[in-house]
Amino acid sequence: MTTKPIIPLVPESPVPAAVSPRRLPPNGKKFFIWTMGCQMNEADSQKVAAMLQEVGYEKATSEEDADIVVLNSCVVRQAAEDKVAGRLDSLARLKRQKPEMPLVLTGCMVTRQQEKLKQRFPHVDLFFNPSDFGKLVEVVPELEELDDDLDQLPHYYQPQLTGNKAGISAFVPIIYGCNFVCSYCIVPYRRGKETSRPFKDIVTEVERLVDNGVREVTLLGQTVNAYGHDLEEKTSLAHLMEAVNNVKGLDRLRFLTSHPKYMGDDIIHAIRDLDTACEHMNLPVQAGDNEVLRRMRRTYTRDLWMERIAYTREQIPGVTVATDIIVGFPGETDEQFQQTYDMLEQTECDKVHLAMYSPRPGTLSARWEDDIPHEEKYRRHRELEKLQERLQTEINDRRLGDTYEVLVESKQRGRWTGRTRGNTLVHFDDERDLTGKLVDVEITKTSPWFLMGRAVGNPS
Ligand code: SF4
């Protein structure tokens, strides 16, 4: 089972939908977008694709085949930044062969260091900050046609190019940046302070998405549950969820990524009370020891996180829970690691995203000694992997014989694949075309990572 919804950028089959006409007819040109990193970047890439498509571009299968190439970069780890740099270097040759092809770099690598990047990668035609979509007009003049209503253009490919999950589920960024300063994280330095999008724009975007056949929406932000605090007219994620829930035709509503400190009762009640809100809580904790949490500058204690999970479970029976953990943070002792182990064993999460600590230059913790040897980090990572495998085996075994509503995303290796409202991956066989359908599936087989079953009842 995995909790991270992935929208493929190269979808497989079209989804019938109310397609809005393109602004300009096909112009024979093609775009290629390469994306690294989080769902925010995926959403931005989808918006760029939607913009280009609106003015007549089509998707290319490779950089060589494209008339414009956009790289959307991630810097969350040094390895990710190195990978983007490597890709940019390798594109220099293509750029020499096709000097007229605009090469564009966006994403977290760009922020606050454009001058440095211009010197290092002189073959790049345009650098633009995450979500600063208006800049693209500098290399795609046709986009002037869209200037007035860029904000209204959904963050996803139009259905004629999408299909599969991309036409069924969509990411909608609602807040950019982060006001926290976790000692290991580069995001606040690159994405800046929290900036919420206007309430009305988000609801309008969801309406447009639903009009175009989208059934599931995931509201996105680095600290998504901080939404609205910075707006002149103060509002909240819970209010926004209520408004989005009222969009006629929407079936499912999710949100990512939450900070424990902002996980108020109002949001938990919204999950409990709103028809479309999926019974799933993704609440990163990062460590189970208070001293490690303090050095991580997470601003909460293990008890607060555990209390929020316990309250969510009390209010929403059957809710699934996911979290994130970093092992091997500087100075993490065996006892402190054991605290994390015990907390996870006690909490029984449905899914844990595990990471081994690595210092990120420019952050506070990078100035401290990275004193846990790699082998020890790996051992702790394995310990938690084994723990989760055991727990997820037990959790999923209890699901045998139950029936879940599954939103079908795609057919992979001859099998339908989709997710429950709790975000559990389900595979099943069926002769019918079920892409984008809600299907009740009775679970006939389980594994720690996914469920298998058979369709019962009529798809909708
Ligand atoms: Fe980074 Fe912490 Fe903000 Fe998350 S909450 S984006 S880890 S600074």
Side-chain angles (χ1 to χ4, degrees):
M1 185 176 66
T2 175
T3 56
K4 186 182 164 197
I6 305 289
I7 291 182
L9 289 179
V10 187
E12 291 155 30
S13 68
V15 175
V19 178
S20 51
R22 291 179 188 199
R23 219 67 55 96
L24 297 177
N27 59 14
K29 292 185 182 173
K30 292 182 177 176
F31 65 86
F32 185 86
I33 303 176
W34 184 75
T35 309
M36 284 200 75
C38 64
Q39 290 92 348
M40 292 291 277
N41 275 10
E42 288 183 36
D44 276 4
S45 290
Q46 288 167 7
K47 176 123 177 174
V48 169
M51 288 166 63
L52 293 172
Q53 196 189 4
E54 287 276 309
V55 295
Y57 284 67
E58 292 188 333
K59 195 174 82 60
T61 50
S62 67
E63 287 113 326
E64 287 76 17
D65 192 29
D67 298 282
I68 176 170
V69 172
V70 180
L71 300 193
N72 197 346
S73 61
C74 172
V75 295
V76 76
R77 291 181 203 292
Q78 186 63 46
E81 190 160 348
D82 293 346
K83 204 165 166 188
V84 179
R87 188 96 180 206
L88 282 170
D89 285 338
S90 71
L91 281 168
R93 190 181 49 83
L94 183 64
K95 184 69 188 163
R96 278 197 298 276
Q97 288 165 1
K98 292 167 73 175
E100 73 291 350
M101 176 197 80
L103 178 56
V104 180
L105 181 69
T106 182
C108 291
M109 194 165 160
V110 175
T111 48
R112 301 187 193 180
Q113 53 166 358
Q114 289 199 19
E115 286 313 312
K116 241 164 79 185
L117 288 170
K118 275 178 195 161
Q119 284 170 14
R120 186 163 172 214
F121 304 107
H123 56 295
V124 173
D125 299 278
L126 175 71
F127 299 89
F128 75 90
N129 286 340
S131 311
D132 191 6
F133 305 109
K135 284 267 191 267
L136 259 182
V137 75
E138 291 179 25
V139 291
V140 185
E142 303 96 303
L143 286 170
E144 268 172 31
E145 299 263 336
L146 300 181
D147 265 4
D148 292 343
D149 57 359
L150 260 187
D151 283 345
Q152 302 300 319
L153 199 64
H155 285 73
Y156 85 122
Y157 284 64
Q158 295 291 313
Q160 59 273 53
L161 262 191
T162 57
N164 268 346
K165 195 171 178 188
I168 300 157
S169 299
F171 291 139
V172 177
I174 65 168
I175 178 168
Y176 299 105
C178 177
N179 285 2
F180 288 93
V181 272
C182 298
S183 57
Y184 53 84
C185 181
I186 194 80
V187 167
Y189 304 100
R190 297 297 175 88
R191 292 251 179 184
K193 292 277 178 207
E194 286 161 4
T195 311
S196 298
R197 286 180 67 203
F199 193 96
K200 209 164 151 280
D201 283 9
I202 298 166
V203 178
T204 305
E205 178 166 342
V206 173
E207 284 167 353
R208 284 202 58 181
L209 289 164
V210 171
D211 280 351
N212 280 281
V214 164
R215 305 190 74 168
E216 177 183 78
V217 155
T218 303
L219 307 177
L220 288 183
Q222 254 88 31
T223 47
V224 71
N225 50 348
Y227 175 75
H229 299 183
D230 58 308
L231 290 174
E232 211 172 292
E233 205 170 311
K234 296 247 181 306
T235 182
S236 65
L237 176 64
H239 279 132
L240 181 65
M241 287 172 72
E242 215 176 305
V244 170
N245 181 65
N246 288 336
V247 173
K248 229 171 164 268
L250 182 71
D251 291 294
R252 289 183 173 190
L253 171 61
R254 302 182 188 277
F255 57 90
L256 272 180
T257 297
S258 298
H259 192 283
K261 208 163 174 181
Y262 286 139
M263 188 48 75
D265 290 357
D266 59 339
I267 299 172
I268 296 169
H269 297 166
I271 303 175
R272 180 193 64 191
D273 298 337
L274 302 176
D275 293 342
T276 61
C278 289
E279 296 77 13
H280 178 65
M281 170 68 74
N282 188 333
L283 198 60
V285 60
Q286 306 300 6
D289 179 84
N290 283 339
E291 172 54 22
V292 176
L293 285 172
R294 190 189 65 74
R295 277 185 286 114
M296 285 178 165
R297 305 285 197 268
R298 289 291 290 175
T299 75
Y300 55 82
T301 61
R302 156 204 180 108
D303 285 352
L304 178 111
W305 181 80
M306 290 183 78
E307 186 279 324
R308 289 291 76 191
I309 299 297
Y311 185 70
T312 304
R313 284 177 165 160
E314 179 196 309
Q315 293 294 310
I316 313 161
V319 69
T320 55
V321 171
T323 195
D324 296 1
I325 294 284
I326 298 170
V327 296
F329 192 72
E332 184 188 62
T333 63
D334 280 346
E335 293 72 31
Q336 289 169 338
F337 169 69
Q338 192 60 41
Q339 292 277 350
T340 299
Y341 187 99
D342 294 345
M343 179 187 72
L344 289 181
E345 189 167 39
Q346 200 180 326
T347 321
E348 293 192 13
C349 292
D350 298 82
K351 172 77 185 174
V352 178
H353 304 108
L354 295 168
M356 285 187 279
Y357 172 79
S358 64
R360 187 65 191 82
T363 61
L364 177 61
S365 71
R367 293 193 229 144
W368 306 335
E369 190 190 351
D370 182 16
D371 57 353
I372 311 296
H374 179 77
E375 303 72 48
E376 179 56 19
K377 285 180 188 163
Y378 183 74
R379 188 194 69 77
R380 293 177 188 182
H381 191 274
R382 269 305 288 151
E383 284 293 302
L384 296 187
E385 263 181 350
K386 281 193 280 180
L387 170 68
Q388 273 311 119
E389 185 166 347
R390 169 165 67 78
L391 293 173
Q392 289 173 214
T393 300
E394 290 165 12
I395 291 167
N396 281 349
D397 278 356
R398 293 199 287 269
R399 292 175 168 150
L400 197 65
D402 289 350
T403 298
Y404 292 92
E405 179 202 87
V406 173
L407 179 57
V408 181
E409 295 164 11
S410 61
K411 201 168 199 178
Q412 289 172 10
R413 291 191 215 104
R415 280 215 158 114
W416 291 110
T417 292
R419 283 168 201 279
T420 66
R421 287 173 64 95
N423 219 17
T424 307
L425 197 60
V426 177
H427 303 297
F428 65 100
D429 293 316
D430 201 289
E431 291 306 311
R432 295 166 291 181
D433 181 1
L434 297 173
T435 315
K437 300 282 186 202
L438 286 169
V439 182
D440 284 339
V441 177
E442 185 188 321
I443 304 307
T444 54
K445 206 174 160 191
T446 67
S447 87
W449 323 115
F450 57 85
L451 304 172
M452 293 193 62
R454 63 181 184 90
V456 291
N458 290 324
S460 59

